[in-house]
Amino acid sequence: MVSIAMSYAELDRATLARLLPELLLSGQLIDRSGMAHCIGAFGRETMAQIAIDEWMSASPVYTKRMRSALKITGDGVADMFKCLQLDIGAPPQFMDFRYTIHDEYHGEFVLNHCGALMDVEPMGDDYVTSMCHDIEDPTFDATAIATNRRARIRPIHRPPRRPADQHPHCAWTVTIEPDRDELPLPEGSIIMGTTRAANVELSPITAGGEGHNNYIGAVWEDLRFADWSHSALIRMAEEVALQHQLLALGFAMSVREKSASEAQADEIFRKQLTGISGLSADRLRHCLAVEPDAEGLAAVLRIHPILGPEQYVGARITINGEGAQRSVQLRLPGNSDAIADNGWIAFIDPEHLEPVLAMASAVHPTWSAVTGHRDGEDLVIDIARGAAIKESGEVAIARFSSGATFEFADRGIPLSITPVSAG
């Protein structure tokens, strides 16, 4: 038996630097997994309201956490842009934000590429308007007020694109005026602030070592994660995994309010979980370039954001057996903060193992023999070889996104963004 630590701290600096963009993109793809099921259950307009609810509940909370972790203490547009660069709503390159800072309290950004638009545009103008108008207006402000409650993000232009090839995809102003009324915190974010996820303590960033330990100073045009210290990368990975958990809690709260029954809400939540579980595992397998053996499966599970961060979920992995009979065991404790919050992990049980099956079979289709049992309060899940299976419908729906096959590029040494004249 070989025990595998679930901590991001067990990964080296270079691996963490490759992993961070993947984790950020994984968080963006949660909605590609969940919203299709909401459209089927409730229609486009209610789907849009669920998206608004989930992001407005989660974003102010996790932005505040990232600000604290990286010592982003200011209240200007530069500080807001720093937070956006580490937000699952704006994964690098896939959501290619380009920033301009006019002065401390005035700036702009454009999206040179919007992966979310590329996913939604084929569905027609009504869906584009739902995302780029109905959803973005309140959720952008909810993100902004985590930095300054007098901040406003307003469109210069945005889709539906006219002409059809309009570029950049959208453009926005960011203004902070001292005599402007403060926006209230969204009610959902106040509720979210009471969860275990909002308050869990993660790994401290330690002084010293090679690379950045905080985000004090200039805004970088792109974040090159290889430039950050090992302990900073560990904490950022943990925070981004936690962003997944907070967004899922926001999604679940809204879906429950709009469902006809608890059973309907549970079904939608589990479908969302299954889709993102499999799609993220597939991308993580490619990121790590692992073999499809027991060690490779364990390597993917140990960094999967659904199962982290360890301080919140408390999962444990062991590899058992020898040779072709090797299997992987996943233990999910029944007394974790994740269970207390009634989030994703609480919806995996011996009768509902589809998310784990999706993760395992994404590493190789023959990791298909997935069984579970209770050991006291803990859920013990055994993953063994079986007949090759097809990808589940939930994962196939999530794979609709162009993010499923998106490739990150090396953009070289990033430049700092300096204020320019607003003239």
Side-chain angles (χ1 to χ4, degrees):
M1 182 176 72
V2 179
S3 296
I4 308 295
M6 294 292 288
S7 172
Y8 291 114
E10 301 300 316
L11 303 178
D12 62 38
R13 188 176 167 208
T15 302
L16 284 166
R18 292 198 312 274
L19 178 62
L20 254 298
E22 287 292 342
L23 294 178
L24 287 162
L25 179 55
S26 170
Q28 167 70 202
L29 297 178
I30 292 172
D31 273 1
R32 302 292 85 75
S33 177
M35 291 308 164
H37 303 293
C38 293
I39 292 169
F42 310 117
R44 175 178 55 82
E45 292 183 358
T46 300
M47 174 278 296
Q49 188 57 53
I50 290 169
I52 292 167
D53 292 345
E54 68 166 339
W55 287 96
M56 290 186 72
S57 296
S59 176
V61 175
Y62 67 61
T63 301
K64 180 180 177 181
R65 288 188 57 95
M66 193 67 82
R67 280 172 56 85
S68 177
L70 296 181
K71 298 182 179 179
I72 304 170
T73 58
D75 66 352
V77 295
D79 307 283
M80 188 188 308
F81 293 164
K82 291 176 182 180
C83 295
L84 280 170
Q85 289 177 319
L86 290 160
D87 189 316
I88 58 175
Q93 300 182 29
F94 184 72
M95 305 290 287
D96 195 15
F97 282 69
R98 303 287 89 188
Y99 301 104
T100 299
I101 300 172
H102 295 304
D103 58 42
E104 185 175 5
Y105 293 128
H106 299 85
E108 298 178 10
F109 63 81
V110 303
L111 266 75
N112 276 347
H113 176 270
C114 178
L117 176 64
M118 297 297 96
D119 293 346
V120 173
E121 209 167 40
M123 300 170 69
D125 282 358
D126 286 346
Y127 280 93
V128 171
T129 300
S130 288
M131 181 179 74
C132 300
H133 295 242
D134 302 338
I135 296 171
E136 292 293 15
D137 284 350
T139 57
F140 263 150
D141 278 351
T143 298
I145 64 176
T147 296
N148 191 317
R149 288 168 67 173
R150 290 186 170 89
R152 304 290 190 273
I153 300 177
R154 295 294 179 264
I156 300 170
H157 70 80
R158 54 179 164 176
R161 291 194 284 169
R162 301 290 186 269
D165 61 350
Q166 185 179 45
H167 191 269
H169 289 166
C170 62
W172 302 75
T173 63
V174 183
T175 60
I176 301 170
E177 305 297 346
D179 57 351
R180 179 184 285 161
D181 290 339
E182 291 187 343
L183 287 175
L185 288 174
E187 182 179 353
S189 74
I190 296 172
I191 297 170
M192 191 68 70
T194 67
T195 63
R196 301 280 186 92
N199 296 285
V200 65
E201 292 188 15
L202 301 178
S203 301
I205 299 176
T206 57
E210 184 179 357
H212 308 311
N213 289 312
N214 56 57
Y215 205 170
I216 297 171
V219 181
W220 296 100
E221 188 177 38
D222 294 289
L223 290 191
R224 189 169 66 170
F225 291 103
D227 293 336
W228 291 76
S229 72
H230 189 236
S231 67
L233 289 169
I234 293 166
R235 177 60 177 270
M236 285 191 286
E238 291 174 351
E239 290 287 351
V240 174
L242 194 67
Q243 289 183 19
H244 285 67
Q245 305 288 349
L246 286 161
L247 194 69
L249 291 173
F251 178 83
M253 286 194 303
S254 186
V255 168
R256 288 190 189 104
E257 289 177 356
K258 294 165 180 61
S259 293
S261 66
E262 186 174 339
Q264 183 187 32
D266 290 355
E267 179 183 13
I268 293 170
F269 198 42
R270 285 193 172 102
K271 286 180 176 179
Q272 179 214 43
L273 171 58
T274 300
I276 193 60
S277 292
L279 184 55
S280 290
D282 183 44
R283 287 197 59 94
L284 292 172
R285 172 178 65 88
H286 286 285
C287 176
L288 298 180
V290 296
E291 296 295 327
D293 54 14
E295 286 79 9
L297 174 57
V300 169
L301 294 179
R302 73 184 291 190
I303 61 171
H304 202 298
I306 306 306
L307 301 176
E310 63 165 338
Q311 298 93 328
Y312 182 65
V313 176
R316 295 289 180 268
I317 295 175
T318 56
I319 299 176
N320 299 313
E322 299 292 338
Q325 302 303 312
R326 303 195 86 186
S327 63
V328 175
Q329 186 176 89
L330 172 65
R331 178 179 288 265
L332 299 176
N335 60 352
S336 69
D337 287 345
I339 295 292
D341 280 343
N342 200 35
W344 271 329
I345 301 304
F347 286 77
I348 302 174
D349 59 40
E351 288 73 45
H352 299 94
L353 298 173
E354 294 87 357
V356 178
L357 177 60
M359 295 182 204
S361 58
V363 175
H364 196 272
T366 59
W367 287 114
S368 60
V370 178
T371 58
H373 66 276
R374 293 288 180 187
D375 181 12
E377 293 185 345
D378 294 356
L379 174 62
V380 178
I381 303 169
D382 292 301
I383 307 168
R385 295 282 192 180
I389 61 171
K390 293 182 179 180
E391 184 173 79
S392 73
E394 290 85 356
V395 179
I397 287 172
R399 195 178 290 284
F400 165 79
S401 172
S402 59
T405 56
F406 186 81
E407 295 185 8
F408 294 101
D410 182 356
R411 292 186 168 179
I413 299 173
L415 300 175
S416 62
I417 301 174
T418 56
V420 298
S421 170

